Amino acid sequence: AVVSTQSGHYGRGFSLLVLTCGVILVQWKDSTPRDTDSLSDSNKVTGLLCILFACLTSGFAGVFFEMMLKNTGGQSVWIRNTQLALCSCVVAFTNLLLTEQTFIATNGLFHDFQPVVYAIILSQAYGGLLIGMVVKYADNILKVFATSISIILSSLIGIFYFKELTFTASFGLGLALVVTSTVLYSTSPAKKKAE
């Protein structure tokens, strides 16, 4: 119900398809035959199935997150975000204890934490709250557009500032498609909700 009422006009659906193609092209890496020959067909199929499963679960999680934030029953975004974060903290802490038990026993939980690590943790926490606000007051699809634009900006920083990436034709085409899809989505009329 959340997806069907938010997707709106066909132009908006088309813009999502253009966005998908643009992000694929931006992240496309040219591989040499040597890299791909060593992979068996079963590994390729397994990889493709894992990617499809990750995309589906991510999509469902985004819709569920939007539903939880918008149907709060009078609770604030802060309380709902805290409730959702506590669930992930329990799972992450359990995994940490199961996989790193000996390291924690030897060195402690916060071994070698530097100020930059605390800054990253605070940045991630702030980002989570910001995403909660975006999803609460906009929708999950706009969050996807924002994420896509951040991928583009991160890639541009990697190209021009860190000199780790190279500007390729596929990156340029993908950049153009992402910008085009953002303009298409923002200029397409939204489907009016049935009263």
Side-chain angles (χ1 to χ4, degrees):
V2 174
V3 174
S4 62
T5 60
Q6 300 289 334
S7 50
H9 194 262
Y10 291 117
R12 288 187 161 202
F14 178 70
S15 68
L16 291 173
L17 180 65
V18 172
L19 177 70
T20 302
C21 294
V23 171
I24 288 171
L25 286 173
V26 163
Q27 296 190 340
W28 190 271
K29 299 223 185 326
D30 294 328
S31 62
T32 61
R34 178 178 48 93
D35 294 337
T36 57
D37 286 344
S38 63
L39 296 175
S40 69
D41 287 338
S42 65
N43 285 344
K44 292 176 186 176
V45 171
T46 303
L48 181 64
L49 289 175
C50 288
I51 289 172
L52 288 175
F53 181 72
C55 290
L56 286 174
T57 55
S58 175
F60 285 132
V63 171
F64 178 74
F65 182 61
E66 181 178 354
M67 183 190 72
M68 291 295 292
L69 285 178
K70 291 191 175 179
N71 301 329
T72 58
Q75 291 180 342
S76 71
V77 175
W78 298 93
I79 292 173
R80 184 59 74 180
N81 246 354
T82 303
Q83 290 171 340
L84 292 172
L86 286 176
C87 295
S88 62
C89 286
V90 169
V91 172
F93 192 69
T94 303
N95 181 44
L96 181 70
L97 288 178
L98 292 175
T99 58
E100 301 293 334
Q101 185 177 17
T102 56
F103 182 82
I104 293 172
T106 306
N107 300 312
L109 184 61
F110 299 107
H111 175 73
D112 227 3
F113 267 40
Q114 304 294 325
V116 70
V117 175
Y118 290 109
I120 291 170
I121 292 169
L122 289 175
S123 171
Q124 293 291 322
Y126 174 72
L129 292 172
L130 189 61
I131 287 172
M133 298 298 268
V134 167
V135 172
K136 172 77 174 177
Y137 298 109
D139 65 11
N140 193 40
I141 295 174
L142 291 178
K143 181 187 74 88
V144 169
F145 276 95
T147 303
S148 302
I149 291 171
S150 74
I151 290 171
I152 298 288
L153 291 176
S154 299
S155 299
L156 287 173
I157 290 170
I159 289 171
F160 296 113
Y161 185 71
F162 293 116
K163 310 266 190 257
E164 291 180 0
L165 303 171
T166 56
F167 193 90
T168 62
S170 65
F171 181 84
L173 181 61
L175 174 65
L177 287 176
V178 168
V179 171
T180 302
S181 69
T182 305
V183 171
L184 277 175
Y185 187 83
S186 63
T187 58
S188 295
K191 182 177 178 182
K192 293 183 180 177
K193 293 182 182 179
E195 299 296 330

